[in-house]
């Protein structure tokens, strides 16, 4: 099992534009068009599969909300922060 991060570690390492909501980190990515968001979600799914760490994603009109947590650890771990950073890189 992966170790949970403490509050200080999460605050120090939380990637840009991500927020903490209880035992999850969350970001909503905005797009110019619906299909741009769908394309991002598909690419994000590929990264998640590669990392074997699967986020909750909600595709809306011109936005995609991503939620990360490590369910088997009961909170936020390195895997969440690492995937969040990779998703930020994907968006840029």
């Amino acid at each position: 099992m992966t170790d949970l991060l403490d509050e200080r570690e999460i605050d120090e390492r939380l990637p840009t534009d991500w927020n903490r909501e209880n035992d999850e980190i969350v970001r909503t990515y905005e797009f110019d068009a619906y299909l741009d968001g769908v394309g991002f979600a598909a690419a994000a799914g590929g990264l998640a599969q590669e990392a074997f760490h699967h986020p909750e994603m909600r595709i809306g009109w011109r936005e995609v909300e991503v939620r990360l947590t490590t369910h088997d650890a009961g909170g936020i771990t390195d895997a969440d922060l690492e995937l969040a950073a990779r998703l930020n890189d994907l968006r840029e």
Side-chain angles (χ1 to χ4, degrees), residues 2-38:
T2 307
D3 293 333
L4 289 175
L5 299 176
D6 64 35
E7 302 289 326
R8 181 189 54 77
E9 289 175 304
I10 295 167
D11 289 343
E12 287 176 357
R13 296 179 46 206
L14 194 64
T16 303
D17 296 324
W18 285 80
N19 296 300
R20 179 153 185 217
E21 291 184 13
N22 301 314
D23 290 337
E24 298 179 314
I25 58 172
V26 181
R27 179 173 177 186
T28 300
Y29 293 91
E30 296 182 1
F31 300 90
D32 292 332
Y34 174 75
L35 287 179
D36 293 339
V38 171

Side-chain angles (χ1 to χ4, degrees), residues 19 22-23 30 35-36 40 54 56-59 63 66-67 78 83:
N19 296 300
N22 301 314
D23 290 337
E30 296 182 1
L35 287 179
D36 293 339
F40 170 82
H54 306 100
E56 297 288 326
M57 288 191 281
R58 184 189 60 77
I59 301 170
E63 67 181 25
V66 180
R67 293 180 168 273
D78 283 325
L83 185 54

